[in-house]
Amino acid sequence: MRHLSTDASPGLTPGHPCAIARDTMNTPMQQPAGRDPKSSFQDMILALHDFWSAQGCVILQPYDMRMGAGTFHTATTLRALGPEPWNAAFVQPCRRPTDGRYGENPNRLQHYYQYQVILKPSPPDIQELYLESLRVIGIDPLKHDIRFVEDDWESPTLGAWGLGWEVWCDGMEVTQFTYFQQMGGFDCKPVAGELTYGLERLAMYIQGVDNVYDLSFNGQGTSYGDVFLENEKQMSKWNFEVAETDALFDLFNKAEAECRNALDGSVPIAAYEQAVEASHIFNLLQARGVISVQERASYMGRVRDLARGSCEAYAEKMAPEWKAKFPEWSL
Amino acid sequence: MESEIPGVEPVSDFLLELRSEEIPARMQAGARKELEKLFRRKMDTAGVAVGEVTVWSTPRRLALIARDLPDATEAVSEEAKGPPEGAPDQAVEGFCRKNGVTRDELEVRDVKGRPTYFAVKNIPGRQASALLAEAIPAIVRDFSWPKSMRWGAASLSTESLRWVRPLSGIVALLGDDVIECEVHGVTSGAVTLGHRFHHAGDITIGNADDYAMKLRAGHVIVDHVERQDLIRKGAARVAEEAGLTLVEDEGLVIENAGLTEWPVPLLGRFEEDFLEVPPETIQLTARVNQKYFVCEDAKGELANAFICTANIEAADGGTRVVEGNRKVLAARLADARFFWDVDRKKTLAEHAKGLERITFHEKLGTVADKVERVTRLALWLVDTGVVKPSDEGSGAETQLYNYVQDAAALSKADLVTEMVGEFPELQGLMGGYYARAEGLPNEVADAIRDHYKPVGQGDEVPTAPVTVAVALADKLDTLMAFFGMREEPTGSKDPFALRRAALSVLRILQANNIRLNVRHAYRIAGLLLTRQISNRALGNKIEDDFESARKLGLLDPATIDEEGYKKTLLDEINASGVAKNLEIGEERLPNFFADRLKVQQREAGVRHDLIDAVFALGGEDDLVRLLARVKALQSFMDTEDGANLLAGYKRAANILKKEEWDGGKDLSYSTEAAEKGLIDALDSAGPKAESAVAEEDFAAAMSALASLRAPIDRFFEEVTVNDDDKAKRAFRLDLLARFRDAVHQVADFSKIEG
């Protein structure tokens, strides 16, 4: 397994943005012995890893911070900036405190997984690659109705937007497919394609299960519920009832201050982490119901300033280096 | 090519296909228009005559077929007339530049005996293929999408092509020949792709004639109209096969046709238990979230069925597709049922407490504050007889008062329910359901349900008194609040939809023939708002305050006039700075209503200048009466008397204006016959018009005015106003001023056009 490297795009030749291996396109990918993405959550993830790895992606591990979406991972946000090719895939656990249901709702969770693929620049056959990845995990598009339905994406927090689709499988949204146009307020040059698979949904669909907790996690007797049910119960309770709100307000302020401190110290990646932290603390405060409607906009504005400020600082710090490698590029 | 017969211009059919990743369904109709428009424009500029053009779209392609395009344009000679010989060099050179010729090339011809420069350009005929090769890239580059994007390696520069989604291929054929061109790395050819899943490999198109057929063989129905038809009929058929009736929805037909290249309507069933939730919620979630049709049973009630439109002919006949869709819908309906159950665990009154947490507007407090004002204002409308009970039985008024109180207080409670949180468009409707579910009277439930009405142009206008009171109060409060905060609409910006609110007020007043002085209503609403603000500071409850104000008669329309109003409102809150804005708003809101009235009445053929003429008199704050008066005036202006009186009035007004006459002293002066005639007529018509207006008999007021026509005509014929005798002149000017004022009792004729 490769590791995150600060060098540009391992596995790809810099300057050849479309250097994605095509060897899997003609022959369906063989699953290793004993692997069955159709009856095991983890095998499905491993199959996606194999597939995207074969396409030349860096397979990353999750970002080690609490965040609301895979898009917050620096491999997506910060790497979407600048001219360097970048192809990566990773699982990112997502925390949405207000979606917690104490483990009682069959498809709502305050902690779940997204599978993210980021391909920069977006390759011309990105849709075909994506559809091939569905086949690999067991979805046959001649038996299931796959559709690309308009769904544009915007994150004012990140100063980002893109156009794309939500991908439907028999009417169910299984993936968010976005061509990033702007990030941190900057035009994406070049544009990256982002795929975000909802892993639990896909697995429920593929395994034919109506309750997320009934998913087979490993195909060997351990269910998703065995792994996460108690976690959902306790974390829902903490998110909604227990978390000390004074401490959360304090954490928010501290993250905000530290973000500014990091910006002053010209370490925008560290600043960005604090923005991610502040964003999550804000979500927790929302779940605790202690932010009034009036205050909400103001808090969101503060998070936005931190996130955008960090992205801008990162882009500006990196710009000379990028410019040196890609003379035709400008911020 | 086809026709080489002498004398017949050779023509060919042209096919253009622009292939793209999935184009949003909602943009396809506009894109078809844009493609045809740009094609015609480019061909027109190139001098190619374009006849019949067909444009088709699918999610993955836009196609255009132009029949009988001439293979070449004819050579033409264009000439432009320039300046005369001997004109300044600058002018001649400018002319040359404009026409793209050199000075040597200019010809000199005689124009009416004057030697004049001419620029003559001989434009040779060109091959259509060459023109198209230039036009296609230009069409692609000029194409305007509601939203467009960059993609791929080329997007390293922001100068790269923008398209709705990545442009992936171009087919361009004139006759059987490929028109070779290239746009940002996409080159044209004869090869296209079929259905994403049903057809592997390329499809080579021969010409415009085999295009649709070859695509059909590749599982693509390129004609969107045909796909719409397939969906419409197919959906109706599968419903019928299940013993049901399709609930038609043309918007869904078009949207699904825009999402599919090979549409296959499939019917599925959901659990019958879900039917216990209000049918609107099922229909809405099916339509908005999933783009499904719904069906009705023989009794016309919503059935437990949905129709989805697949884009494949599944090997198993669609069993898996239907099953997958059923699960998705079931999850959504389970959510809806969960909301329905949870919401009903609380009464609307309990829900309403949650409104304290929702900001209505930062300057205007919470929605709970708004509800409080709306309730008091609605009760004022009942109290003062503006809104009356529909029957006159004993206790009808008390009952109306009580119903209005409850309905208004609960009118916004559903905003904090889970269901409306999920489906905001169900506001009101859900409140009505919840009200009935907890056993509130139908009058109250109906008023909660309908108090947002009328929303759009075709929407029904409330007539039930409880609903009318709440609906009016809600909109009047909104108007007052934003005008009072100086947040009135400007230009195209109307973020609080105040124009719509004012129009809705007009429609409710008109439909129910309600007599309401909007200025009084504004004042009461303003009073409530300011008291709310000061009470909050003092910790008082507005109910108590309202009751005491009511007992003191402060809310009586008679005393809400200047004196009482100023005393109760302005003095009290003068220090807060709110008063000034409120006063400005009070002047602006009636004008705003008059403007809305003009817009509304334009379609009904009511002249806007006549609305101005009545409105300019001031003091007419009753919009129903205003309109009656305008209509009477319009009938009058269509008569000969009216037209002539207007002429006389304008003459009088012009003289007065020119003389800057502002009335004179009493002069002893013996009048001439024409003057006497006018005086007598004014003595008679003035009081008649005045009392007719007071009695709202506007036709009578007009005929009183008509009686002035002959005397004023005679006056102008026989009398010279500008007499040398100063006394005579002053008297005559006075008389004209009196005439003008008499006319003004009915309308300000200076505003009338013509």
Side-chain angles (χ1 to χ4, degrees):
Chain A
M1 183 130 341
R2 297 188 189 100
H3 293 273
L4 174 60
S5 156
T6 48
D7 293 338
S9 57
L12 286 167
T13 318
H16 291 83
C18 294
I20 286 192
R22 295 281 181 262
D23 55 345
T24 57
M25 286 305 290
N26 298 324
T27 47
M29 182 174 275
Q30 293 297 309
Q31 299 295 336
R35 184 179 294 172
D36 184 5
K38 283 183 148 183
S39 59
S40 155
F41 187 62
Q42 68 194 34
D43 283 6
M44 185 181 85
I45 294 173
L46 291 171
L48 287 172
H49 275 342
D50 284 346
F51 177 81
W52 287 109
S53 175
Q55 308 308 322
C57 284
V58 177
I59 305 298
L60 293 173
Q61 300 307 311
Y63 209 82
D64 60 338
M65 288 185 72
R66 297 176 293 183
M67 51 182 62
T71 306
F72 278 96
H73 196 304
T74 53
T76 300
T77 46
L78 298 186
R79 290 284 180 163
L81 292 162
E84 297 169 308
W86 172 250
N87 297 282
F90 54 91
V91 173
Q92 181 60 46
C94 300
R95 303 259 197 158
R96 304 254 170 113
T98 48
D99 282 351
R101 293 293 183 272
Y102 298 84
E104 287 163 13
N105 186 297
N107 42 29
R108 271 200 204 245
L109 304 158
Q110 56 83 44
H111 171 284
Y112 63 94
Y113 289 124
Q114 285 181 347
Y115 194 91
Q116 274 252 302
V117 180
I118 180 110
L119 303 172
K120 184 177 98 174
S122 61
D125 56 351
I126 183 168
Q127 282 187 307
E128 282 70 36
L129 287 173
Y130 166 72
L131 291 168
E132 187 57 29
S133 77
L134 290 188
R135 287 189 190 98
V136 161
I137 56 173
I139 294 179
D140 176 354
L142 281 174
K143 290 187 184 132
H144 296 285
D145 187 29
I146 308 291
R147 225 81 75 67
F148 292 85
V149 181
E150 178 191 16
D151 191 26
D152 301 337
W153 173 81
E154 188 181 16
S155 167
T157 303
L158 295 171
W161 67 277
L163 300 191
W165 310 275
E166 51 183 47
V167 183
W168 283 15
C169 175
D170 296 340
M172 181 173 64
E173 181 191 350
V174 292
T175 303
Q176 187 73 40
F177 192 136
T178 308
Y179 289 100
F180 284 154
Q181 301 295 302
Q182 276 203 330
M183 180 61 75
F186 297 102
D187 284 328
C188 293
K189 295 188 281 188
V191 164
E194 182 210 40
L195 306 172
T196 306
Y197 302 70
L199 285 178
E200 284 84 354
R201 279 180 172 208
L202 266 173
M204 285 168 73
Y205 196 80
I206 294 165
Q207 293 187 23
V209 164
D210 288 337
N211 188 323
V212 65
Y213 298 107
D214 294 338
L215 279 177
S216 167
F217 206 102
N218 63 349
Q220 297 164 60
T222 302
S223 72
Y224 194 92
D226 292 338
V227 181
F228 279 121
L229 181 57
E230 185 59 22
N231 186 68
E232 279 299 308
K233 287 180 183 170
Q234 293 194 20
M235 291 308 295
S236 294
K237 184 164 181 177
W238 185 75
N239 292 337
F240 286 126
E241 303 169 42
V242 177
E244 174 58 61
T245 56
D246 288 345
L248 291 176
F249 279 118
D250 193 37
L251 282 172
F252 183 92
N253 291 329
K254 285 185 168 150
E256 186 180 40
E258 190 52 32
C259 179
R260 304 213 179 279
N261 177 44
L263 287 174
D264 290 344
S266 190
V267 280
I269 294 178
Y272 178 77
E273 284 198 345
Q274 295 305 316
V276 171
E277 176 72 5
S279 171
H280 179 66
I281 301 293
F282 165 70
N283 289 342
L284 284 170
L285 284 165
Q286 283 266 90
R288 292 290 281 117
V290 290
I291 293 187
S292 69
V293 181
Q294 293 93 325
E295 288 171 315
R296 187 165 179 267
S298 142
Y299 271 94
M300 286 173 74
R302 286 164 73 183
V303 173
R304 186 179 58 231
D305 289 347
L306 299 179
R308 289 187 68 156
S310 304
C311 286
E312 278 169 26
Y314 176 76
E316 277 155 14
K317 186 181 173 76
M318 298 302 290
E321 197 179 306
W322 291 335
K323 184 92 186 143
K325 285 190 202 165
F326 295 83
E328 72 274 35
W329 177 88
S330 65
L331 192 58
Chain B
M1 279 164 218
E2 287 99 354
S3 51
E4 295 286 350
I5 308 155
V8 178
E9 197 187 3
V11 294
S12 302
D13 294 339
F14 172 64
L15 165 72
L16 175 66
E17 181 194 67
L18 302 173
R19 212 147 37 72
S20 148
E21 295 179 11
E22 276 75 354
I23 305 166
R26 68 185 172 92
M27 297 179 189
Q28 289 169 27
R32 292 192 300 266
K33 281 204 193 106
E34 176 79 359
L35 180 58
E36 177 166 358
K37 186 186 82 184
L38 287 174
F39 176 74
R40 285 190 182 277
R41 186 185 294 163
K42 302 290 172 201
M43 291 299 100
D44 189 50
T45 312
V48 179
V50 175
E52 184 199 327
V53 169
T54 306
V55 187
W56 290 320
S57 68
T58 81
R60 298 177 76 201
R61 63 200 88 219
L62 285 173
L64 176 144
I65 289 176
R67 298 284 175 194
D68 300 335
L69 219 54
D71 288 350
T73 57
E74 284 176 31
V76 287
S77 170
E78 277 180 8
E79 52 179 61
K81 182 176 148 238
E85 210 175 23
D89 282 351
Q90 221 179 347
V92 180
E93 273 150 25
F95 173 70
C96 290
R97 244 194 329 275
K98 197 175 138 209
N99 289 285
V101 293
T102 63
R103 195 158 181 161
D104 302 343
E105 291 167 336
L106 292 179
E107 289 180 19
V108 179
R109 291 184 206 160
D110 194 77
V111 177
K112 290 177 190 162
R114 225 173 152 193
T116 305
Y117 286 120
F118 275 80
V120 180
K121 282 190 294 181
N122 290 311
I123 302 164
R126 290 191 65 194
Q127 291 298 309
S129 55
L131 294 169
L132 287 166
E134 288 165 14
I136 294 164
I139 288 171
V140 171
R141 276 192 296 267
D142 293 353
F143 210 97
S144 160
W145 292 97
K147 278 183 183 174
S148 62
M149 54 166 276
R150 298 174 297 118
W151 67 93
S155 61
L156 190 61
S157 156
T158 46
E159 300 304 303
S160 67
L161 180 65
R162 289 176 170 275
W163 198 249
V164 60
R165 294 292 183 275
L167 179 75
S168 45
I170 299 174
V171 172
L173 292 166
L174 182 64
D176 298 335
D177 301 328
V178 172
I179 302 291
E180 285 180 15
C181 61
E182 191 243 314
V183 198
H184 287 266
V186 184
T187 48
S188 63
V191 170
T192 186
L193 294 177
H195 189 279
R196 199 183 261 297
F197 305 116
H198 277 306
H199 190 274
D202 295 341
I203 296 176
T204 302
I205 304 300
N207 52 47
D209 281 336
D210 71 6
Y211 174 67
M213 201 175 62
K214 283 198 167 166
L215 278 182
R216 190 182 301 272
H219 268 79
V220 172
I221 295 166
V222 68
D223 181 351
H224 54 277
V225 176
E226 186 184 340
R227 291 198 310 281
Q228 288 166 9
D229 208 42
L230 272 171
I231 294 168
R232 206 179 286 115
K233 290 189 177 137
R237 192 186 59 244
V238 293
E240 204 183 310
E241 283 165 5
L244 302 169
T245 312
L246 173 74
V247 176
E248 288 176 17
D249 189 328
E250 197 54 22
L252 269 183
V253 168
I254 293 168
E255 188 171 13
N256 277 300
L259 284 165
T260 49
E261 293 202 306
W262 194 261
V264 180
L266 297 166
L267 181 133
R269 295 280 191 169
F270 55 84
E271 280 177 68
E272 212 156 16
D273 291 357
F274 287 125
L275 290 174
E276 65 195 50
V277 297
E280 289 90 344
T281 61
I282 296 177
Q283 197 171 350
L284 198 68
T285 191
R287 185 183 68 205
V288 176
N289 298 116
Q290 298 300 136
K291 312 185 196 305
Y292 300 154
F293 297 91
V294 291
C295 302
E296 285 175 349
D297 61 17
K299 284 180 282 178
E301 282 168 17
L302 193 73
N304 64 324
F306 67 93
I307 296 168
C308 59
T309 310
N311 189 33
I312 53 167
E313 212 150 310
D316 62 0
T319 314
R320 281 192 191 80
V321 174
V322 168
E323 177 55 15
N325 278 285
R326 186 198 63 76
K327 272 191 191 175
V328 182
L329 183 61
R332 296 226 180 243
L333 293 179
D335 269 349
R337 184 164 60 188
F338 173 75
F339 299 149
W340 171 244
D341 289 341
V342 167
D343 287 343
R344 284 178 305 154
K345 284 184 181 153
K346 283 193 199 171
T347 61
L348 281 178
E350 286 166 324
H351 281 298
K353 292 199 186 88
L355 298 174
E356 289 165 17
R357 294 198 314 265
I358 305 182
T359 308
F360 174 62
H361 181 273
E362 54 174 332
K363 292 181 191 165
L364 298 167
T366 66
V367 176
D369 293 331
K370 177 174 174 57
V371 167
E372 187 180 61
R373 295 194 303 271
V374 169
T375 308
R376 297 299 133 192
L377 189 59
L379 291 175
W380 178 78
L381 291 170
V382 175
D383 234 5
T384 52
V386 173
V387 178
K388 299 180 186 71
S390 46
D391 50 38
E392 292 178 4
S394 67
E397 257 175 56
T398 314
Q399 196 186 48
L400 177 62
Y401 191 89
N402 292 335
Y403 282 170
V404 166
Q405 185 156 30
D406 289 347
L410 303 176
S411 59
K412 307 287 180 190
D414 66 356
L415 292 181
V416 288
T417 61
E418 298 283 336
M419 189 75 92
V420 176
E422 185 71 14
F423 301 113
E425 53 272 74
L426 292 179
Q427 65 176 10
L429 186 82
M430 287 318 299
Y433 273 111
Y434 293 137
R436 254 177 277 271
E438 69 176 83
L440 293 173
N442 279 331
E443 289 87 341
V444 174
D446 289 349
I448 294 171
R449 182 189 62 199
D450 296 335
H451 81 281
Y452 293 102
K453 288 173 185 269
V455 177
Q457 269 217 317
D459 200 16
E460 64 181 88
V461 181
T463 53
V466 185
T467 311
V468 167
V470 180
L472 269 182
D474 185 23
K475 292 162 182 67
L476 288 169
D477 174 74
T478 298
L479 286 162
M480 176 286 304
F482 288 106
F483 270 79
M485 295 295 134
R486 307 288 307 282
E487 295 274 2
E488 59 262 40
T490 49
S492 61
K493 288 208 185 81
D494 185 11
F496 307 110
L498 300 184
R499 291 193 178 104
R500 196 176 73 193
L503 185 61
S504 299
V505 168
L506 285 174
R507 290 179 63 195
I508 295 172
L509 294 178
Q510 290 157 355
N512 296 282
N513 199 26
I514 289 175
R515 312 303 303 274
L516 172 70
N517 183 313
V518 290
R519 195 178 292 264
H520 286 177
Y522 177 89
R523 288 176 178 178
I524 292 294
L527 180 74
L528 290 165
L529 176 66
T530 48
R531 291 217 159 190
Q532 202 173 44
I533 293 167
S534 59
N535 278 341
R536 198 178 300 119
L538 296 169
N540 291 344
K541 280 197 157 178
I542 197 167
E543 287 90 347
D544 305 338
D545 189 63
F546 183 79
E547 282 310 313
S548 57
R550 192 171 160 224
K551 280 184 192 129
L552 291 169
L554 291 177
L555 301 183
D556 193 303
T559 51
I560 201 72
D561 286 337
E562 305 299 332
E563 294 305 308
Y565 172 68
K566 293 247 158 81
K567 219 181 229 91
T568 51
L569 174 65
L570 297 179
D571 293 352
E572 192 176 302
I573 47 126
N574 225 353
S576 70
V578 177
K580 189 159 174 48
N581 281 340
L582 272 178
E583 276 190 291
I584 295 169
E586 183 183 323
E587 289 316 308
R588 292 189 179 176
L589 186 62
N591 285 313
F592 184 69
F593 268 113
D595 286 343
R596 293 300 96 206
L597 190 65
K598 277 184 236 172
V599 173
Q600 184 206 27
Q601 291 297 321
R602 192 183 296 148
E603 279 175 36
V606 176
R607 284 166 52 181
H608 65 92
D609 58 326
L610 300 186
I611 294 180
D612 279 337
V614 175
F615 191 74
L617 295 179
E620 184 51 283
D621 297 319
D622 178 333
L623 299 160
V624 169
R625 190 166 63 198
L626 178 93
L627 191 58
R629 203 158 161 173
V630 169
K631 285 182 174 166
L633 181 61
Q634 181 150 351
S635 310
F636 178 55
M637 294 316 297
D638 288 342
T639 65
E640 201 196 335
D641 278 348
N644 284 320
L645 185 74
L646 178 62
Y649 168 88
K650 292 234 155 156
R651 196 162 163 190
N654 282 339
I655 293 169
L656 290 166
K657 196 178 163 198
K658 202 168 133 207
E659 301 293 332
E660 291 175 8
W661 193 254
D662 54 357
K665 306 151 266 236
D666 257 341
L667 294 163
S668 66
Y669 167 71
S670 57
T671 53
E672 291 173 24
E675 293 168 292
K676 181 77 169 61
L678 184 55
I679 292 167
D680 290 345
L682 283 169
D683 283 346
S684 154
K688 262 192 212 159
E690 192 181 357
S691 67
V693 168
E695 286 162 25
E696 302 185 15
D697 184 352
F698 300 116
M702 297 304 153
S703 55
L705 283 192
S707 71
L708 294 174
R709 178 229 160 158
I712 189 72
D713 285 355
R714 184 175 167 207
F715 175 85
F716 279 124
E717 265 167 43
E718 296 180 10
V719 176
T720 308
V721 176
N722 223 347
D723 200 277
D724 291 340
D725 181 338
K726 284 232 164 83
K728 278 190 187 175
R729 180 169 165 273
F731 180 84
R732 286 170 185 166
L733 285 169
D734 275 350
L735 194 51
L736 286 182
R738 214 187 129 190
F739 164 71
R740 179 194 60 194
D741 295 346
V743 171
H744 278 195
Q745 284 185 330
V746 178
D748 181 348
F749 273 46
S750 70
K751 303 281 182 194
I752 301 177
E753 291 165 6

